[in-house]
C-alpha cells in the first residue's frame, strides 16, 4: 500500500471518534468533532495531490478514495438526522445519489475523476457539515440549514451531470 492510499485509509480512523463526539453535547466535544472532520477533509485533498505528484495513482486508490469520502460525509449526516438537526429525506437524497453513482461506476471500465460539479458538491457538503457540527449560536441555525440544502441541490445536479455523458455514449 503506497502513501496516498495509507492517507486515504487513515481518514477511516477518524470516523468513529467523530461519531462518538457528536453524541456528546458539549461545545468542546463539538469543536473536537469539527477538527477531526476538517483534518479528514484536508487529507482527502492531500492523498489525491500526492498520488498525482508521486505518480502513485492506483486502482485501489481510485476505489477507496470515493468510498471513504462517502463514509466521511454520510456518517455525521446520519448522526445529525438522529439528533434531529436535519431532515432524513435530505440525507436520503444524498445517499441515493451516491449509491446510484457508485453502482454506475461498477460497470465502467475506467473510473473518471470528479468534474467541477462533483468538486462543488464536495465543498458544499464539507461546509454544510462543518456548520452543522460546530457549536455555533442559534443565529447560525438557518445559515447552516441553507448550506445543507445547497449541498443537497448540488449533489443532485452533480449526479445528473455525471450520468449525462454515459447516456449519450450508450445511445451511439
Amino acid at each position: 500500500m503506497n502513501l496516498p492510499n495509507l492517507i486515504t485509509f487513515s481518514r477511516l480512523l477518524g470516523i468513529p471518534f467523530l461519531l462518538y463526539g457528536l453524541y456528546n453535547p458539549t461545545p468542546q466535544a463539538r469543536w473536537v468533532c469539527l477538527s477531526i472532520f476538517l483534518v479528514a477533509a484536508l487529507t482527502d485533498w492531500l492523498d489525491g495531490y500526492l498520488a498525482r505528484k508521486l505518480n502513485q495513482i492506483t486502482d485501489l486508490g481510485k476505489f477507496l478514495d470515493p468510498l471513504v469520502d462517502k463514509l466521511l460525509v454520510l456518517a455525521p449526516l446520519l448522526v445529525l438526522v438522529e439528533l434531529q438537526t436535519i431532515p432524513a429525506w435530505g440525507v436520503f437524497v444524498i445517499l441515493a445519489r451516491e449509491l446510484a453513482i457508485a453502482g454506475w461506476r461498477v460497470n465502467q471500465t475506467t473510473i473518471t475523476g470528479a468534474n467541477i460539479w462533483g468538486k462543488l458538491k464536495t465543498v458544499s457538503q464539507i461546509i454544510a457539515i462543518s456548520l452543522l457540527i460546530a457549536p455555533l449560536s442559534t443565529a447560525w441555525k438557518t445559515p447552516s440549514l441553507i448550506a445543507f440544502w445547497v449541498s443537497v441541490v448540488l449533489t443532485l445536479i452533480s449526479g445528473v451531470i455525471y450520468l449525462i455523458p454515459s447516456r449519450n455514449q450508450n445511445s451511439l
Side-chain angles (χ1 to χ4, degrees), residues 68-145:
V68 173
D69 292 348
K70 285 163 189 36
L71 292 173
L72 184 64
V73 166
L74 290 169
L77 288 177
L78 291 171
V79 172
L80 292 168
V81 166
E82 186 176 2
L83 297 175
Q84 300 180 346
T85 306
I86 54 176
W89 73 269
V91 176
F92 175 79
V93 168
I94 292 172
L95 177 61
R97 182 267 189 206
E98 298 301 344
L99 289 174
I101 297 300
W104 179 82
R105 281 182 166 177
V106 168
N107 296 320
Q108 303 305 304
T109 55
T110 59
I111 300 173
T112 60
N115 62 24
I116 186 67
W117 290 99
K119 291 178 182 182
L120 287 172
K121 169 204 70 119
T122 300
V123 169
S124 71
Q125 289 173 343
I126 291 168
I127 291 169
I129 293 167
S130 296
L131 289 171
L132 290 164
I133 65 176
L136 302 172
S137 71
T138 55
W140 282 90
K141 183 176 181 174
T142 300
S144 299
L145 289 173

Side-chain angles (χ1 to χ4, degrees), residues 1-16 39-52 56-72:
M1 187 175 287
N2 62 28
L3 179 61
N5 289 345
L6 283 172
I7 293 170
T8 298
F9 188 73
S10 74
R11 288 201 312 270
L12 281 175
L13 301 177
I15 294 174
V39 166
L42 287 173
T43 62
D44 180 32
W45 170 83
L46 179 63
D47 62 24
Y49 172 79
L50 288 174
R52 289 184 298 277
Q56 294 183 347
I57 297 171
T58 64
D59 287 338
L60 174 63
K62 289 179 187 177
F63 169 78
L64 193 60
D65 185 64
L67 176 64
V68 173
D69 292 348
K70 285 163 189 36
L71 292 173
L72 184 64

